[in-house]
Amino acid sequence: MKTIGLLGGMSWESTVSYYQIINRTINGQLGGLHSAKIVLHSVDFHEIEQLQHAGAWDKTGSILAQAARSLQAAGADCLVLCTNTMHRVADAIQRAIEIPVLHIADAVASSVRESGIHGIGLLGTKFTMEQAFYRDRLSDMHGLKVLIPDKHQREMIHRVIYEELCAGNINNESRTQFAEIIRDLASRGAEGTILGCTELSLLVKQEDSPVPLFDTTEIHARRAALWAIS
């Protein structure tokens, strides 16, 4: 079994889910008392979040690249970045290490395509929804048609992620608003919706949606576990 390097803490709420999903998947595949071989580097999200909103992506890339080097030195055979947004600097991380970065958008796109869906809605931070690093990877590399919410909806989603979900607060009113946004995307042609922030699965469930949801945390963590025992 290979060792998975988790680069987490962004936020720690979703990093907990990665640990659980990976271990449950390994045990489900191998049985007995098997569990995953994992090394974890968890950063202080306050520092990362401040740099995100300042647009200091090069600085965040340097911080995470250094963390990635520590995971490689600790024996990790691959790196799993436990966040969608910080894949904005995935290339900088990959250049800093020799082990592969298992990119979250590639794992998610594979699941979407396996389901037969072409038009997909994307929810996440404003960075993920609005910048090219994620949307273009889905469309240019994987041939998906990506739809995003309107500006007002994007601002609401971004606020809920940072002010509520990253703090572990689950608000039923926010869940209702997210369900309305998903229905709106479906009316515009989205055959499914990507929960493109690793905290969103804490709030939004399949029963809240008329179309299939793609939980990036579940998909990414499961793919990493299967990679480790492949």
Side-chain angles (χ1 to χ4, degrees):
M1 186 192 308
K2 302 180 186 72
T3 299
I4 300 169
L6 295 182
L7 182 43
M10 299 166 281
S11 68
W12 69 263
E13 293 280 349
S14 59
T15 304
V16 170
S17 297
Y18 269 87
Y19 187 81
Q20 292 174 327
I21 294 164
I22 290 171
N23 276 291
R24 287 170 180 162
T25 301
I26 293 288
N27 185 258
Q29 293 290 313
L30 302 181
L33 295 178
H34 281 287
S35 58
K37 294 181 178 180
I38 292 174
V39 290
L40 168 66
H41 186 120
S42 188
V43 301
D44 179 1
F45 190 38
H46 174 81
E47 180 181 10
I48 299 297
E49 182 271 333
Q50 294 291 301
L51 292 169
Q52 286 176 342
H53 286 93
W57 297 103
D58 287 348
K59 178 63 174 175
T60 63
S62 296
I63 292 170
L64 297 186
Q66 181 59 42
R69 284 190 286 266
S70 76
L71 287 169
Q72 179 174 273
D77 296 303
C78 72
L79 187 133
V80 173
L81 185 57
C82 304
T83 161
N84 285 271
T85 295
M86 292 315 301
H87 278 74
R88 172 72 168 71
V89 296
D91 289 344
I93 295 170
Q94 184 64 85
R95 287 193 297 269
I97 55 177
E98 297 174 2
I99 59 176
V101 175
L102 305 185
H103 201 291
I104 194 169
D106 295 340
V108 173
S110 293
S111 290
V112 173
R113 290 179 62 86
E114 287 165 7
S115 73
I117 287 174
H118 174 67
I120 192 73
L122 174 62
L123 308 183
T125 66
K126 287 200 295 184
F127 311 120
T128 298
M129 292 185 287
E130 296 174 359
Q131 296 183 14
F133 73 95
Y134 202 99
R135 290 187 304 155
D136 285 6
R137 195 174 185 102
L138 294 174
S139 60
D140 296 350
M141 291 184 63
H142 299 283
L144 298 176
K145 179 183 178 182
V146 182
L147 296 90
I148 62 171
D150 65 32
K151 185 175 186 296
H152 173 73
Q153 293 170 332
R154 295 196 302 270
E155 290 174 351
M156 187 280 291
I157 293 167
H158 189 86
R159 179 191 61 77
V160 168
I161 289 170
Y162 282 95
E163 296 181 12
E164 297 177 16
L165 300 180
C166 287
N169 298 325
I170 307 302
N171 186 308
N172 285 331
E173 182 178 347
S174 297
R175 179 181 289 112
T176 299
Q177 291 177 299
F178 271 75
E180 292 173 356
I181 292 170
I182 293 169
R183 286 195 294 271
D184 181 59
L185 288 170
S187 73
R188 292 166 48 198
E191 305 162 76
T193 297
I194 295 171
L195 301 181
C197 173
T198 50
E199 282 79 26
L200 286 181
S201 58
L202 301 173
L203 176 69
V204 185
K205 308 298 181 184
Q206 185 58 62
E207 57 264 28
D208 302 313
S209 172
V211 295
L213 296 181
F214 294 86
D215 176 357
T216 55
T217 304
E218 176 76 30
I219 293 168
H220 198 206
R222 181 169 173 78
R223 294 283 173 128
L226 295 177
W227 182 91
I229 59 175
S230 64

